Amino acid sequence: MPEIIELPERPYAGVRATITMTTFGVVADRIGELFGWLAERGATPAGAPFLRYDAINMPEDRLVVEAGVPVTAPVEGEGDIFAGTLPAGRYATVSHHGHPDQLFGVIDGLVKWGAEQGLTWDMTEKDGTEHWGCRLELYNTDPSIEPDPANWDTDLQFRLA
């Protein structure tokens, strides 16, 4: 069941790409690289890696997505790896156990629940593109420990306006 939580600002290191629904690997496959980059700099991860959806245009199959790793203290970016901060605020959140391919239904359920609750997302729409203030999928399962995606745990966190 979804719930509303209050979260503080959270620093992270990330990469960003414009992708399609079939090219998620362009950004998602860089999460391991981010962990290595942080380790080389002595930076400590502070939670689960995530995908952050900045812009979504489903009719044109174009998404602007970040892969990120939260850190205990801000880091300085280098090359296409940048330092960012997830904004503080109220978030609607829900957990999912199972294959990431099943997240479409979970997302749909969260959006419908938000509408039933009268919630307003931190999102604006322009020319068919949704621009999100902060929409996250946090991947709580380490694939090197649990290689079967059917056993993965994912949290959704969508910031409220």
Side-chain angles (χ1 to χ4, degrees):
M1 182 67 153
E3 62 180 338
I4 297 173
I5 59 173
E6 188 81 29
L7 292 170
E9 283 190 344
R10 297 166 281 170
Y12 69 97
V15 294
R16 180 183 297 111
T18 300
I19 61 170
T20 68
M21 291 301 292
T22 58
T23 60
F24 264 93
V26 168
V27 68
D29 291 349
R30 296 197 58 199
I31 290 174
E33 175 188 345
L34 288 170
F35 276 108
W37 185 86
L38 290 167
E40 289 171 3
R41 285 149 185 79
T44 306
F50 58 83
L51 293 180
R52 179 179 183 177
Y53 294 79
D54 293 331
I56 301 171
N57 184 319
M58 292 307 285
E60 294 183 14
D61 192 21
R62 188 179 64 245
L63 303 94
V64 177
V65 179
E66 300 174 14
V69 176
V71 290
T72 56
V75 296
E76 194 169 316
E78 177 181 38
D80 67 343
I81 297 175
F82 63 88
T85 303
L86 299 173
R90 293 174 56 234
Y91 287 77
T93 185
V94 68
S95 297
H96 168 67
H97 178 80
H99 199 288
D101 287 351
Q102 299 168 338
L103 284 172
F104 285 114
V106 179
I107 292 166
D108 188 52
L110 180 59
V111 170
K112 286 179 180 173
W113 176 84
E116 291 166 1
Q117 304 299 313
L119 302 175
T120 303
W121 306 113
D122 181 11
M123 185 269 293
T124 57
E125 189 172 339
K126 183 177 180 195
D127 299 327
T129 300
E130 298 175 351
H131 299 275
W132 288 82
C134 196
R135 176 177 166 165
L136 303 172
E137 292 175 3
L138 294 94
Y139 297 94
N140 298 311
T141 305
D142 182 341
S144 68
I145 296 171
E146 176 51 73
D148 183 356
N151 291 321
W152 290 0
D153 292 309
T154 307
D155 291 335
L156 301 179
Q157 296 176 352
F158 290 15
R159 189 167 188 253
L160 299 170

